[in-house]
Amino acid sequence: MFWERDQKGGYGKEIQKSRKELIRDGLKELRQEMSKWKEEMDEKFAMDPVFVRPGDMDKVWVLNSKEALDQWVVTCDSDHNEGRSTAGLSLSPTGHGLFSGQLCTDPPKDGRVKRAGYCNMKSIRPRKSFKREVYLEWADYNTLEIRLRGDGRSYMLNISCAGYFDVMWNDMYSYPLYTRGGPHWQLTRIPFSKFFLTSKGRIQDKQALHTPGQGCVPRHLLW
Amino acid sequence: MSAPASLYRVLSRVVISSSSCRASLSSAASQKHSKRNLTSSTPHSARKEDPLEETSLTIRSLFDSKERNKGTFVAACDIFMKRGPHRRGHVEFIYSALKLMEDYGVHKDLEVYKRLLNLMPKGKMVPTNIFQIEFMHYPKQQQCAIDCLEQMEMNGVMPDTEMEHILRNLFGKMSHPVRKFGRMMYWMPKFKNASPWILPQVVPNDAFELAKMAVERMCTVDPSSSITIYQTSEVEDALEDTWIVSGQSTVQQELLEKHPPGESIKVEGPFRIHLRNKSVGYFVLRAEAKPKPPPPSRAVIDDVGSIKSWFTGELEPEETLLTQPCSVHEQEDGTILALCVTGTSGRDSLLSWIRLLEKSNPCLARIPVLFTQASPIGEVITVEPEKHHDEITAAT
């Protein structure tokens, strides 16, 4: 009740590998991680200042190739036998990311799950060299812009800002993403100031401000 | 040491014997009652599984009425209200009522929620000191009221001041349900009208009304759009007699006029658009995408525009005034020329739509129109009776 045992709330998979295998796998990636670290150090010593002028736009995700789609993870409630929804992320014939699936809001009759029906599309967490977790550097920006072609339903846009302490592990900034539907593309611009703080799907009474400098992991959640 | 050990052995034997005795009793009881079909689940679920089963011991609840509407629901609440001043079992009654609200079609009705909360006895549960307030005086009842509010929230029903008075009279002004009420009244109005495409709280069930709403919504992309309602009976030798809701803007008409007569255009669909919990299938008249005009070249040396910016070292943004900007309908995967929803979504109704479009777009007579064979969203999925998939095509 007062503390969290697990970052994933007990949903993560346990590592089945032995220590020897883990060391072997880790050493395989050492070379890449070292070169990554070298780049980071070069950047640090170059000390290039970052200028963001008003009106500047930075493209973070362009879902137009297979590699770009690999940066995303799709989950739904049938993953843990908590519903019947299915979802997938594929490349459409015109070469755009297509998030599709079946949404079923019927809860399974196991007497435990009260409500069901979600499909979720989440970007994988950015990491520095040696797999150190970082946040996306969005401190200089104030708006999230999305170009999409929706189906008329409302979606939920979640920016996950998991903090260090267990009470902050489930912190998320959310705002509904309304879609028009129809054959035309839609451009939605949501200021970061509009996002509200939620934790485990509940809006918080104290709307803590998003600390500048701390980045985010956006997730798109279908409801 | 031996005395306690032996005592323990005796005790354990007693325990074992008593448990075995209980087991034998229960097995005897189960054998005895096996034909009675004692149902311990809620009466509704038992009813749902086998409505015709009449056993000697059937639980008759207030929600057993054949007709399921607001009238019978409210009548059940009233009967419970008149049972006595104590209203025993009101928490259980409210929980079973909450479960059945959707079946009775009252899950979006604020008045019914108020009536349910009014079933709780007033005054008795108001806390008298701060410890009672913070440690949830009458927890079952408070949790029940919170669950009732939660269900309202899930169904998008916004409470009002009367609701606050009911909750305050039940549990006092600082109780958890009243706090939940405060949160709801703070957040729900913020999102009530947040969507740029407003829909009524309950969308109509009529396919024609839904189609009009869908086409209007899709046409908001272009302010010059106009929506026309056709009847297929206007066309000679039309096989289907139905309606067509068609949306086309003046920009799209101009694009259609500019279209070279030799190249064919396609009618594609049905695609799906969702309006709250309903969905509508729509069709699109689409031409192939045109290649974009080449950007103005920077080959001229005397062009002052190609001087690098002193600040970023990059070229200045190109002059775009001379090239005409594309309209919203000219997209990378095709040019959208018109939209429609028909009553039957049949092939013949689409043919009639093209015929009727010819009146406002005479150039359509010269352009070959192709109809796609397969639906891009796949075949219609038949759902099992238990499943309520979200994707039920309303208008198709």
Side-chain angles (χ1 to χ4, degrees), chain A residues 28-53:
Chain A
K28 268 181 201 164
E29 291 185 34
L30 191 64
R31 202 186 170 85
Q32 301 162 21
E33 298 301 316
M34 286 293 273
S35 61
K36 237 184 189 179
W37 181 73
K38 192 172 162 287
E39 271 173 34
E40 276 163 25
M41 281 297 144
D42 286 349
E43 287 255 308
K44 198 176 175 184
F45 284 114
M47 285 200 289
D48 275 341
V50 181
F51 285 112
V52 182
R53 290 176 296 170

Side-chain angles (χ1 to χ4, degrees), chain A:
Chain A
M1 187 181 173
F2 298 107
W3 64 289
E4 296 279 335
R5 187 190 293 274
D6 181 19
Q7 283 228 359
K8 293 201 162 189
Y11 279 108
K13 280 178 197 156
E14 279 181 30
I15 299 164
Q16 300 286 341
K17 285 178 180 174
S18 69
R19 185 165 289 238
K20 200 175 155 191
E21 278 176 310
L22 285 175
I23 291 171
R24 200 190 295 147
D25 289 353
L27 284 172
K28 268 181 201 164
E29 291 185 34
L30 191 64
R31 202 186 170 85
Q32 301 162 21
E33 298 301 316
M34 286 293 273
S35 61
K36 237 184 189 179
W37 181 73
K38 192 172 162 287
E39 271 173 34
E40 276 163 25
M41 281 297 144
D42 286 349
E43 287 255 308
K44 198 176 175 184
F45 284 114
M47 285 200 289
D48 275 341
V50 181
F51 285 112
V52 182
R53 290 176 296 170
D56 267 8
M57 205 172 70
D58 193 9
K59 272 188 192 175
V60 185
W61 291 289
V62 184
L63 300 181
N64 58 1
S65 63
K66 201 94 182 68
E67 292 76 47
L69 297 187
D70 289 342
Q71 297 295 308
W72 293 79
V73 177
V74 176
T75 55
C76 52
D77 53 11
S78 60
D79 292 350
H80 298 285
N81 288 329
E82 291 180 343
R84 294 201 204 91
S85 310
T86 50
L89 182 66
S90 56
L91 218 56
S92 72
T94 47
H96 297 286
L98 178 69
F99 181 52
S100 60
Q102 296 273 333
L103 186 70
C104 178
T105 51
D106 245 19
K109 287 180 178 169
D110 60 354
R112 191 173 61 88
V113 182
K114 275 188 187 169
R115 274 186 289 272
Y118 81 86
C119 302
N120 176 35
M121 177 181 157
K122 179 192 164 194
S123 71
I124 56 174
R125 187 156 185 179
R127 282 167 200 275
K128 276 202 294 188
S129 58
F130 302 110
K131 311 278 179 191
R132 287 170 294 169
E133 287 177 344
V134 284
Y135 297 104
L136 292 168
E137 284 296 327
W138 287 3
D140 294 321
Y141 301 92
N142 61 1
T143 310
L144 192 69
E145 198 175 273
I146 306 152
R147 190 162 169 272
L148 79 158
R149 192 146 58 168
D151 59 353
R153 273 190 278 214
S154 308
Y155 293 73
M156 194 63 129
L157 255 177
N158 296 324
I159 302 175
S160 164
C161 301
Y164 180 79
F165 297 106
D166 61 349
V167 284
M168 290 137 77
W169 282 351
N170 297 304
D171 280 8
M172 261 189 196
Y173 289 84
S174 315
Y175 198 77
L177 170 70
Y178 301 103
T179 60
R180 189 201 307 112
H184 297 90
W185 283 89
Q186 166 192 342
L187 194 73
T188 303
R189 209 168 280 158
I190 304 169
F192 287 135
S193 58
K194 284 271 176 190
F195 282 77
F196 51 85
L197 177 65
T198 60
S199 183
K200 293 194 174 182
R202 299 272 171 195
I203 301 187
Q204 299 302 298
D205 285 353
K206 283 188 180 161
Q207 288 288 315
L209 278 180
H210 178 52
T211 350
Q214 209 181 26
C216 339
V217 185
R219 304 154 179 229
H220 302 229
L221 187 110
L222 180 80
W223 66 5

Side-chain angles (χ1 to χ4, degrees), chain B residues 34-98:
Chain B
S34 58
K35 282 179 186 171
R36 274 198 185 173
N37 281 332
L38 258 172
T39 48
S40 60
S41 56
T42 55
H44 169 63
S45 65
R47 221 181 73 100
K48 218 175 183 181
E49 276 159 15
D50 194 356
L52 296 173
E53 192 182 20
E54 279 280 328
T55 55
S56 52
L57 194 92
T58 314
I59 302 160
R60 289 225 168 269
S61 85
L62 294 170
F63 291 112
D64 255 354
S65 49
K66 291 235 169 61
E67 224 175 288
R68 301 207 150 189
N69 53 32
K70 192 182 169 181
T72 50
F73 194 90
V74 170
C77 294
D78 285 345
I79 292 169
F80 184 81
M81 191 84 156
K82 281 172 196 155
R83 271 189 180 167
H86 304 297
R87 313 216 190 115
R88 285 215 178 85
H90 59 265
V91 171
E92 289 77 7
F93 180 82
I94 292 172
Y95 271 126
S96 62
L98 284 177

Side-chain angles (χ1 to χ4, degrees), chain B residues 181-231:
Chain B
F181 168 84
R183 287 182 194 118
M184 282 167 79
M185 285 309 266
Y186 180 77
W187 287 107
M188 288 179 85
K190 286 192 192 299
F191 299 107
K192 196 183 173 194
N193 297 315
S195 171
W197 301 283
I198 292 289
L199 283 173
Q201 200 64 35
V202 182
V203 284
N205 225 352
D206 183 30
F208 179 60
E209 294 297 320
L210 271 176
K212 271 203 289 187
M213 281 162 90
V215 176
E216 259 173 43
R217 183 172 176 144
M218 288 187 282
C219 284
T220 49
V221 73
D222 189 348
S224 70
S225 301
S226 61
I227 294 153
T228 329
I229 292 153
Y230 299 113
Q231 294 292 331

